[in-house]
Amino acid sequence: MRDRKMIEQLMALPEGVFSPLDRHFASFICQLAGTPDNYSLFLAAALITNASVSGKHTCLKLSVLNGCLASWFAGAVNRELESQDVQQMLAALPFPENWREELLTSGVVGEVRGNVAPFMPLVVDGDFLYLYREWRCEHKLAALLHQRIGYSADFQPELICGRITPLFQLFKPMSDKIDQQQLAVLAALRNRLTVISGGPGTGKTAIAAVAAALLLLLNQHARIMLCAPTGKAQARLQEALASQLPFLDCPDQIKQLSAALPVATIHRLLGARPDIKEFKFNEHRKLPVDVLIIDEASMIPQALMNALLAATPSAARVVMLGDTEQLASIESGMVLYDLYRVLARGGSGCFSNGFADDFAAVFPGAPSLPGGADEHCNSIVELKVNYRFASDRGLGLAAAAIRDLSEYPESEEIDKVLRVFEHDATNEVTTLPLPSYEGGKLRQELRRLIDHGELADGSPIFAYSEEDSLEKVFDYFNRFRILCVHRNGLYGAPAINRLIEELLGVSDTLYRGKPVMITTNCREIGLYNGDIGLLWPDEQGRLRAFFPDYNVDTKTQGSKSFRAFDPHLLPPHETVYAMTVHKAQGSGFEKVLIVCPSAISPILTREMLYTAITRAKREAVIWADMPILATGLSSRTCRYSNLRHVFSSFFA
C-alpha cells in the first residue's frame, strides 16, 4: 500500500519532471515483473528512461543521486522544476534503502558478471544502471575500438619516406620541431584506428586530403570513403577537400581520383532505408572500404558510432577527425571525448618505440619522437597550431582561452577568459550586454541589426535576397547567422525568428528569401533534420523551397546543385534566421551573433560557448551579461557514460 501511494505521488509530478514515456515505461516494467506496485522498480525504470532520452546519458550512476531525487533534476532546463512546490514534492519522495538489492530480486533487472549481462530489460553493472540495449551497445563499441588498436598490416614506412611533406601546401621539412599535421598523416597511414583532435582551422581536412592522396599514390585502386554525421557537415567536408586539391604536389591523375572520392552522410553510407530500421551495411554485410575517414566525430552518438564501426571491415583503416571541446552529440553518449581521454591518458605526444622508429624512417633528419608508451597511445594526435585564426587575435585567443581552462577553474581563470572577450582590439570578438526583452530593448537591437548590420566587407547582413542567382543567394545567406544557446524562452531561436519576421514586415507565411530548416527526418524525399533551404522563385516565377543537393558531385560539375520542393508539402520545418548552437555544429559562418540566456542555465557551458565562437570565421558578437557568462565558463557538459572505463579495461 505504501509503494502504491509513493508511485501515485511520483505520477502526480508535472510532466516536465518525468515525461509520459518515462512513466509508461516504468509501468510496463513493473507489469512485466508481476509487481505493479513495486516503487523501487518503478522509480529505477522511470529514472533510467529519463536519463537516456532526456539527459542523453548512456547509463545512470546510482551513487550520484545521493538519496535525493531533486538532485537528479537540478540541471534540467524547465521552469516547472524551479517551483518550490515541485521541489518539495521531489524531496518528499524517498529512496529505497537497499535499492540495488531490491532491483536484482525483481526478476527484470540483471547483474553484469565478468562482462556478461543477462538478457533482461535493465542491467546493473557495478554502480551503473542501464537499459540493456545501451549496455550492450557500449560494450560492443568498446570491443570494436579495441580490435582496431595497432598498425595496419600493409604499412611499409620505406614506401612513404619523403613523400608526406611535399603534399602539403607549404613545403616545410621538419628540421627543428615536429610538424603535427605531418605526424597525423603518418599515424593515419600506419594505424588501423587514428583519432585526430583539433579545433577549427588546425588543418584536419588538409590531413585527410594528404592521407587520401598518398594512399592513392601507393594504390590507385584503394577504396577510400569519407563521411560526416549531417548533410551540412558533409557539404563542408566536400568543399574543404576540394579547396585542398590545387595545392597537392602530386600527378593530376591522383587529384582527379581524390576529387572523385565518395563523400556521404553516415546514414546514407550505411544504407539507411525509410521502410527498414536496420542499415543495409552492418556487422554481417561489411562496407566495401579500405580506408574510412570520419569528419565531425564529436557529433556522432554512441549507437551510430557502434553501427558504423561494426559495418567497417576489421582490416580497414579508420580515421576520426573532430574537436573534443565541442558540444557532444544530440543523442546519447560522448564517444569522441571518452575515446580521447583513454588514448591520451599518458598525455598527448606519447608514442610506442615502434611508432618512433617508423617516424624516424619516414622523416629522416627530423627531431626524434619520444617513445616508450603503449601501442594504443599511437592512435591519438592532437593539433594545436591554428591556421585559420591568428593566435594573437580575438577569435584565436578566445578559443584557446576556453580550451585551456582547467577541469574545475578558479575565479582567476574565468576572469582571464572574460578579459579576452571584453578587450579585443581587433574586434573579432565583441561582448555586449544582453538586450532586455522588457521595454523593447531586444526589439530595438534586432531592428538595428536588420537596418545597419554589416559583414566584414561592409555588405549588409540581410541583403542576400537581392542576389540574382540561387547559388549566390545561398552563399550570401550562409555568411551570417544568429546562434541561440536556448531553444525555448524569450531568447530562444523560435522567439528571435518571430521578432525578425515582424521587423522585416513579413505578413505571409511564405515569401521570397525565407530561410527554413527541416526539423525531422524524411527519408522518403531525402530531407533530414537540420537541412536548411530558402524559398525562391523558380524559372516560372513559382515560389519553391530550394535545398542544396548533397548527392551531386559539385567537384566535377563545377557549381552547386539544388532540389526544389513545393513549400506546402515540406516536412515539419521552421524559420531559421536564428538557430540553436547545437544545430549549428558542422557549420561555419563569416560572422555570428551569439545570444545567451538571461539567467544561469545548465545548458550554457564552456563547450556551448566554445562551439558557438568557433562557428565564426571572422567575427563573433556575444550578447551576454558577464555574471551569466562567467558561470557558463565554469560549467562543463555532464553525461554519464561508462565507455571510458570499459574501453580502458582492455589495456589493464
Side-chain angles (χ1 to χ4, degrees), residues 263-277:
V263 183
T265 62
I266 296 174
H267 284 84
R268 187 166 286 114
L269 180 74
L270 292 175
R273 290 169 286 186
D275 54 335
I276 302 175
K277 289 189 68 175

Side-chain angles (χ1 to χ4, degrees), residues 54 166 203 222 263 270 446 480:
S54 300
V263 183
L270 292 175
L446 289 175
F480 171 78

Side-chain angles (χ1 to χ4, degrees), residues 53-281:
V53 177
S54 300
K56 312 304 179 185
H57 307 287
T58 59
C59 55
L60 175 62
K61 193 171 184 180
L62 298 176
S63 60
V64 304
L65 296 172
N66 200 26
C68 177
L69 195 60
S71 66
W72 173 250
F73 294 98
V77 182
N78 191 310
R79 293 195 173 184
E80 284 183 326
L81 296 173
E82 298 173 7
S83 161
Q84 187 173 358
D85 291 341
V86 173
Q87 289 295 313
Q88 290 175 348
M89 292 172 70
L90 287 169
L93 286 167
F95 264 60
E97 291 184 9
N98 301 308
W99 196 17
R100 191 175 185 277
E101 289 72 20
E102 282 191 56
L103 294 177
L104 292 175
T105 59
S106 66
V108 292
V109 182
E111 183 175 16
V112 177
R113 296 181 183 275
N115 287 333
V116 176
F119 186 61
M120 293 186 179
L122 308 179
V123 295
V124 173
D125 189 352
D127 191 34
F128 295 92
L129 176 67
Y130 288 87
L131 294 169
Y132 174 80
R133 68 177 186 191
E134 294 285 3
W135 181 91
R136 183 169 178 267
C137 179
E138 184 174 87
H139 278 251
K140 284 182 66 177
L141 177 56
L144 286 168
L145 290 166
H146 177 254
Q147 289 168 9
R148 295 189 176 279
I149 296 298
Y151 59 88
S152 182
D154 63 352
F155 175 73
Q156 300 180 58
E158 64 274 9
L159 293 182
I160 61 172
C161 178
R163 303 179 78 169
I164 293 179
T165 302
L167 285 169
F168 280 94
Q169 176 181 352
L170 298 177
F171 188 93
K172 296 184 297 181
M174 287 187 284
S175 55
D176 56 346
K177 63 179 181 179
I178 295 171
D179 186 297
Q180 294 298 312
Q181 283 187 302
Q182 297 183 46
L183 174 65
V185 172
L186 171 61
L189 267 65
R190 183 188 187 274
N191 303 331
R192 287 191 295 126
L193 172 67
T194 305
V195 176
I196 301 172
S197 173
T202 52
K204 297 188 296 293
T205 311
I207 292 166
V210 169
L214 186 50
L215 287 163
L216 290 169
L217 276 168
L218 297 173
N219 177 12
Q220 295 187 14
H221 301 291
R223 298 172 300 175
I224 303 172
M225 295 182 178
L226 302 101
C227 63
T230 66
K232 288 181 295 181
Q234 173 200 348
R236 287 197 69 199
L237 178 59
Q238 285 176 317
E239 293 170 358
L241 287 170
S243 69
Q244 296 292 330
L245 293 180
F247 303 106
L248 295 180
D249 185 7
C250 61
D252 288 342
Q253 182 183 11
I254 299 301
K255 293 183 181 182
Q256 292 169 5
L257 290 172
S258 296
L261 290 176
V263 183
T265 62
I266 296 174
H267 284 84
R268 187 166 286 114
L269 180 74
L270 292 175
R273 290 169 286 186
D275 54 335
I276 302 175
K277 289 189 68 175
E278 290 76 19
F279 293 115
K280 175 183 177 181
F281 294 101

Side-chain angles (χ1 to χ4, degrees), residues 194-200 202 204 295-300 305 320-329 333-344 348 379-384 399 402-404 407 585 605-608 610-611 614-615 636-637 644:
T194 305
V195 176
I196 301 172
S197 173
T202 52
K204 297 188 296 293
D295 197 22
E296 296 289 354
S298 65
M299 297 172 62
I300 305 175
M305 184 69 83
M320 297 184 192
L321 311 173
D323 187 349
T324 57
E325 294 299 317
Q326 278 194 40
L327 286 167
S329 63
M334 44 194 310
V335 176
L336 187 71
Y337 182 79
D338 286 337
L339 184 55
Y340 170 82
R341 299 290 288 186
V342 174
L343 297 177
S348 60
S379 291
I380 181 76
V381 178
E382 187 172 9
L383 308 173
K384 296 183 178 180
I402 299 175
R403 286 179 67 94
D404 291 343
E407 190 77 17
Q585 281 188 274
T605 61
R606 72 176 68 171
E607 292 90 351
M608 178 70 74
Y610 175 84
T611 302
T614 55
R615 296 313 90 201
R636 295 215 69 151
T637 300
R644 200 183 309 176

